[in-house]
Amino acid sequence: MARLQRRLAEFAEARGWGPYHTPKNLAVALSVEAAELVEIFQWLTPEQSERVMEKPDTAHRVADEVADVLAYLLQFCEVLGVDVLDALAAKIERNELRFPVPGGPGSDRHSSE
């Protein structure tokens, strides 16, 4: 992950884009790329959406947008000093406490407690 972040940073530096890679701009770019991913699925039925990767042209578009979303997320985290994998692990742990397995220990707690 760190190697990809470094590669993205070097790519941006070589093009003089550093001044534009502020947290605000990267968050906006991330949102735009996520919207472009959503656009692919906008009018599909649930069944059609499950088969998007069967068509090479659509599969390529999905993969490109996923890559764009991840690239901007990694750049955003790099600029703010967020370790994306640590953040994800911490969030999963909090969600495991908030949403226990039905019938398991702690399942009698409500998520708002």
Side-chain angles (χ1 to χ4, degrees):
M1 197 68 65
R3 189 170 49 217
L4 287 173
Q5 284 178 299
R6 184 76 238 139
R7 189 171 173 192
L8 288 165
E10 289 170 357
F11 182 89
E13 286 172 26
R15 288 152 181 82
W17 295 349
Y20 306 105
H21 284 197
T22 64
K24 179 200 77 83
N25 287 349
L26 291 169
V28 170
L30 175 60
S31 175
V32 169
E33 295 301 337
E36 289 178 6
L37 179 61
V38 169
E39 182 182 30
I40 297 167
F41 295 88
Q42 185 173 10
W43 303 112
L44 301 182
T45 65
E47 296 76 21
Q48 290 170 323
S49 72
E50 291 171 357
R51 295 191 308 270
V52 295
M53 300 307 280
E54 293 173 5
K55 296 179 181 177
D57 183 53
T58 308
H60 179 71
R61 287 179 56 213
V62 169
D64 277 355
E65 296 308 333
V66 166
D68 288 342
V69 168
L70 182 56
Y72 278 118
L73 179 61
L74 290 176
Q75 290 173 83
F76 179 81
C77 289
E78 177 76 12
V79 166
L80 290 179
V82 174
D83 183 307
V84 68
L85 296 179
D86 285 348
L88 178 57
K91 181 65 175 186
I92 291 169
E93 289 175 16
R94 286 192 305 277
N95 282 343
E96 287 172 339
L97 294 173
R98 285 184 62 207
F99 306 104
V101 175
S107 64
D108 55 341
R109 286 188 55 218
H110 188 273
S111 64
S112 64
E113 293 180 22

